[in-house]
Amino acid sequence: MKKIGLVGGTGPESTLMYYKELNSKVDQLTDNKVMPDIAIESVNFRKAWDLVVNNEYEELADYLAEKVNALTKTESEVIALTAVTMHIVYDRIKEKTGVSLVSIPMSVCNEVKSRGYKKIGLLGTIFTMEQDYMKKDFVNAGIEVITPSGEDRKLVAQRIYEELEVGIVKESTLNEFNDIILKMKQEHDIEAVVLGCTELPLLLNDDNCILPCLDSVAIHINELIKLAM
């Protein structure tokens, strides 16, 4: 089995999910015979986030490329970022390192196509909802992407940053998010919602969401396992 390398820490909560699920799923798939070799290069989340906020993308790409290069030195062969927002410099990292990273947006897009959805809602950080790095694969595949209205986008982004990134999960926030998803359903007739932030599965899932959820963490993990095995 190929060694898996993760650029983690953006944020810590989703990195924990990746580590736990990769181990448990591979263990199950191999009838308790194998758990994967995993290397994690954890970034300073506050530094990385400030670079995104201040549009310092070249410095961000350099910072994350250092982490990717460190993973290659550990002989990791299947390497990925564990945060959707960090894909804002995905192409620059590939150029700087020559490493073919396993993309979260592409992994999720392939899953959306396999389910036959033509119009999906997208929740994530303000950058993920307003920029195109999470949307372009869907658009190229002929899938329409709907994001919440301006004020609702701000609310979603605030709850992610102030609550989910630090492991706080509230029933009131779940209700707010379901209200926002319902608005997108009523106004745009979306068929499902993409959890386009790797902390969102802490809050939303198929059991408590009013629409089918596409969990970017679970989908990405399945792709990493497929490539590693």
Side-chain angles (χ1 to χ4, degrees), residues 148-161:
S149 64
E151 287 305 311
D152 285 343
R153 284 200 301 274
K154 290 178 184 177
L155 177 69
V156 169
Q158 181 181 2
R159 297 292 185 260
I160 289 172
Y161 185 74

Side-chain angles (χ1 to χ4, degrees), residues 122-124 126 129-130 147-160 176-177 179-184 187:
L122 173 63
L123 301 180
I126 199 72
M129 291 186 288
E130 294 187 348
T147 56
S149 64
E151 287 305 311
D152 285 343
R153 284 200 301 274
K154 290 178 184 177
L155 177 69
V156 169
Q158 181 181 2
R159 297 292 185 260
I160 289 172
E176 288 173 335
F177 279 36
D179 287 344
I180 290 168
I181 293 166
L182 179 60
K183 283 185 199 175
M184 290 193 287
E187 296 173 6

Side-chain angles (χ1 to χ4, degrees), residues 29-144:
L29 287 169
T30 60
D31 295 323
N32 306 120
K33 293 183 177 66
V34 175
M35 285 190 181
D37 287 331
I38 301 173
I40 299 174
E41 277 290 321
S42 189
V43 309
N44 175 349
F45 171 69
R46 301 302 180 194
K47 174 181 177 179
W49 187 256
D50 286 346
L51 292 172
V52 174
V53 170
N54 294 316
N55 298 324
E56 296 179 46
Y57 297 144
E58 197 62 31
E59 187 175 343
L60 176 66
D62 286 339
Y63 183 43
L64 297 178
E66 287 177 12
K67 302 298 183 180
V68 171
N69 286 330
L71 288 169
T72 62
K73 291 176 182 177
T74 70
E75 300 184 349
S76 297
E77 297 178 83
V78 178
I79 298 176
L81 308 174
T82 60
V84 175
T85 301
M86 296 304 128
H87 284 68
I88 202 166
V89 290
Y90 175 84
D91 291 334
R92 298 188 201 198
I93 297 168
K94 285 179 66 178
E95 289 172 6
K96 290 175 182 292
T97 63
V99 173
S100 226
L101 302 170
V102 184
S103 161
I104 296 176
M106 181 56 75
S107 299
V108 178
C109 180
N110 289 337
E111 180 67 18
V112 170
K113 288 192 292 185
S114 74
R115 297 193 193 187
Y117 295 134
K118 297 299 181 184
K119 186 183 289 189
I120 51 103
L122 173 63
L123 301 180
T125 65
I126 199 72
F127 308 99
T128 296
M129 291 186 288
E130 294 187 348
Q131 298 195 35
D132 69 352
Y133 55 87
M134 185 67 185
K135 302 173 188 173
K136 60 185 178 182
D137 291 324
F138 296 109
V139 173
N140 291 339
I143 298 163
E144 189 173 354

